[in-house]
Amino acid sequence: MSNQLGTAARPLRVAIIGSGPAGFYAAEALLKHKDLVCEIDFFNRLPTPYGLVREGVAPDHQNIKAITRVYDKVAEAPNVRYFGNVTFGRDILHEDIKQHYDQIVYAVGAQSDRKMGITGEDLDGSFPATIFVGWYNGHPDYRDLTFNLSHERVLVVGNGNVAMDVARILAADPDALAKTDIADHALAALRQSKVREVVLLGRRGPAQAAFTNPELKEFGALQGADILVDPADLVLDPVSEASLSDDKTARKNVETLRSYAERGSTGASRRLLMRFLVSPVGVIGSGSRVAAVTIERNKLVQAPDGSLRAIGTGNYETLQCGMILRSVGYRGSPLPGVPFSDASGTIPNVAGRVFHNRDEVLPGEYVVGWAKRGPSGIIGTNKPDSVSTVAAMVDDLPDLEGIADEYRDPQVIVTLLEARKINYVTFEDWKILDAHEVAAGVAQGRPRVKVTRVAEMMEIIRTKRG
């Protein structure tokens, strides 16, 4: 009988911490690996799976959310289990996972945001865009927050897709949003919103913007909103102009922005103003609340490596506003017992293999997604990233000792969770909640009506379990 890990006699036991796209793609790659026999357990803090597909993708992007059908097939494989409502580092510890699994995959994303580092940034009314996204998507951590939408102007700092999402939601017609799975509490607040102008502030020029062209084109399709761009902002320096020939996305973005500049104002009730080469340098308060933001005009200079960097020119202006949302980058948060690089905001790794003290590889520990490479790319980018980590996992098998036989029975981890009285959620339990949300959505002509409190989720599951 073979003693090799990954065989029928000794299946590879894998724990995946987190159940977003990167984690599901890692599981899919393991399941597809020829001649590898494995047992995969997901552990997720929230009862609901799918990570940012549920909690981050904008509610008006239902076509993107359809990717969960692929994840469902992975989760429903006979050798895959889901343990939701289980917090790593509290309900189950690093040492527990090491004892019960041959390999661990950290798929926890980048949960926190980067700050702008300017005065007044912590005033009431200044938020990370991720919190606003979580709020309108019904993330339980943020559903009870309130955002003051009684002011006419909101500033959004950043030129990536998340900045575009929050700006679009703020400027969208609430009746159009009512046909999506936006959280009910957010829809009610947006119906009462007095926001009439959303200003996006980009540190660099239009040729360097990080958003994708489909996101930009969506702005032009917003009902009841003008997209305003100053033609002067679209006059490119020679290096930026030359870069367009090699960058298809940037070229299309600039073309789209120029079409918006030519269109100008139609007198719509709401406005999206896109500004470039400007940076906030200070938030001005009225009492404890945001009242205005001082911004500085930038210029682009070429660095020795050929890249263009934005530097301030000393020309300032002040914009009145009631809220500022920053989307200037994201970073991971440390996990108990797991190495973490504060400099990069990631789990330190080489080719997905987690290491400690720069050169000490931790056998059997791996990382995927944003926790591996930092916050870059779109959902699909996670697939090749996870596949490459799984290749390293398989390459390491001949040298991996594996866990003791007494912990190899899949029931052992269930016994441990039950002994600790952890009310975990299985994938079958999630399907109960999923069916409940979808049925509520059908009644309203929507994709689903999200349940946004963990206690309510657990009660629905408990009641309908049988």
Side-chain angles (χ1 to χ4, degrees):
M1 183 177 291
S2 172
N3 200 40
Q4 171 68 41
L5 274 173
T7 62
R10 202 165 174 236
L12 178 69
R13 301 266 302 139
V14 179
I16 299 179
I17 312 303
S19 66
F24 272 105
Y25 288 131
E28 181 185 52
L30 285 165
L31 294 174
K32 286 183 175 180
H33 208 282
K34 188 179 179 181
D35 299 327
L36 178 68
V37 180
C38 61
E39 297 165 345
I40 303 168
D41 288 346
F42 283 94
F43 293 90
N44 195 54
R45 181 173 69 89
L46 294 177
T48 51
Y50 311 136
L52 284 180
V53 176
R54 177 180 171 94
E55 299 140 16
V57 173
D60 54 350
H61 283 176
Q62 291 299 312
N63 58 325
I64 296 176
K65 297 189 181 195
I67 190 64
T68 58
R69 295 170 191 162
V70 174
Y71 306 156
D72 286 348
K73 291 179 181 179
V74 172
E76 290 165 351
N79 50 339
V80 175
R81 297 185 299 182
Y82 176 75
F83 295 95
N85 202 39
V86 178
T87 299
F88 179 86
R90 185 191 70 189
D91 301 328
I92 194 161
L93 308 178
H94 178 260
E95 49 264 39
D96 298 324
I97 299 290
K98 287 290 287 183
Q99 189 175 54
H100 290 82
Y101 295 90
D102 302 307
Q103 293 180 323
I104 309 170
V105 179
Y106 302 107
V108 293
Q111 311 97 321
S112 61
D113 68 290
R114 297 187 184 277
K115 289 200 163 191
M116 296 181 290
I118 61 176
T119 58
E121 185 171 8
D122 295 323
L123 286 167
D124 292 342
S126 173
F127 301 98
T130 47
I131 287 179
F132 190 69
V133 169
W135 173 76
Y136 66 62
N137 272 324
H139 192 300
D141 289 354
Y142 308 120
R143 68 94 55 224
D144 289 322
L145 294 178
T146 56
F147 294 89
N148 186 348
L149 304 177
S150 65
H151 301 271
E152 286 203 0
R153 180 185 289 144
V154 172
L155 302 189
V156 179
V157 183
N159 257 343
N161 283 350
V162 174
M164 302 286 275
D165 281 348
V166 298
R168 194 178 65 255
I169 295 299
L170 282 165
D173 182 348
D175 287 339
L177 293 176
K179 299 172 184 176
T180 74
D181 65 352
I182 190 169
D184 283 353
H185 59 263
L187 180 61
L190 289 165
R191 285 195 181 281
Q192 302 299 316
S193 172
K194 299 292 190 274
V195 175
R196 292 296 174 263
E197 182 173 273
V198 182
V199 184
L200 285 115
L201 304 178
R203 178 174 56 89
R204 296 189 294 171
Q208 291 79 38
F211 46 72
T212 58
N213 197 247
E215 286 272 354
L216 180 58
K217 284 188 172 180
E218 277 187 287
F219 272 17
L222 275 176
Q223 296 296 315
D226 279 334
I227 316 303
L228 304 177
V229 187
D230 187 343
D233 276 359
L234 302 177
V235 177
L236 304 183
D237 63 276
V239 176
S240 294
E241 189 70 55
S243 72
L244 298 184
S245 61
D246 299 321
D247 190 332
K248 182 179 179 181
T249 297
R251 183 168 67 252
K252 285 187 173 181
N253 283 345
V254 171
E255 290 171 359
T256 303
L257 288 166
R258 285 174 175 162
S259 73
Y260 292 157
E262 290 172 4
R263 182 194 305 179
S265 176
T266 66
S269 61
R270 294 179 297 278
R271 300 175 298 280
L272 277 163
L273 175 59
M274 302 187 70
R275 298 194 57 179
F276 298 92
L277 289 171
V278 287
S279 294
V281 293
V283 182
I284 301 168
S286 175
S288 63
R289 291 202 56 82
V290 169
V293 175
T294 300
I295 63 175
E296 181 179 15
R297 186 74 186 175
N298 297 329
K299 66 178 180 180
L300 293 176
V301 297
Q302 195 166 12
D305 63 1
S307 63
L308 289 174
R309 301 175 64 180
I311 63 170
T313 64
N315 295 319
Y316 302 96
E317 65 178 294
T318 299
L319 293 177
Q320 306 296 315
C321 67
M323 184 166 71
I324 179 169
L325 299 172
R326 64 179 181 271
S327 180
V328 294
Y330 308 96
R331 54 183 285 112
S333 299
L335 295 173
V338 181
F340 182 75
S341 168
D342 195 59
S344 65
T346 63
I347 295 174
N349 69 95
V350 174
R353 295 178 176 92
V354 176
F355 67 87
H356 180 60
N357 293 334
R358 297 192 176 183
D359 57 1
E360 180 188 344
V361 173
L362 298 182
E365 300 194 41
Y366 305 86
V367 61
V368 293
W370 280 11
K372 170 186 175 182
R373 69 181 189 274
S376 63
I378 57 177
I379 287 172
T381 311
N382 291 295
K383 186 166 186 175
D385 175 282
S386 293
V387 167
S388 69
T389 291
V390 167
M393 294 169 66
V394 173
D395 286 347
D396 293 347
L397 288 184
D399 300 319
L400 195 63
E401 183 177 339
I403 60 174
D405 289 343
E406 63 189 284
Y407 298 110
R408 195 158 288 285
D409 183 345
Q411 184 61 31
V412 174
I413 196 71
V414 174
T415 302
L416 175 67
L417 291 172
E418 291 178 347
R420 291 180 181 174
K421 297 182 169 40
I422 306 302
N423 191 11
Y424 63 85
V425 169
T426 66
F427 200 72
E428 290 73 23
D429 291 335
W430 151 245
K431 298 302 282 186
I432 291 171
L433 179 60
D434 178 50
H436 173 92
E437 291 185 339
V438 171
V442 168
Q444 298 183 23
R446 302 170 63 187
R448 71 175 62 239
V449 176
K450 287 182 177 178
V451 180
T452 58
R453 286 194 169 95
V454 170
E456 186 180 351
M457 293 177 187
M458 299 305 292
E459 180 59 21
I460 290 167
I461 291 169
R462 185 194 67 79
T463 301
K464 298 186 178 183
R465 267 175 178 163

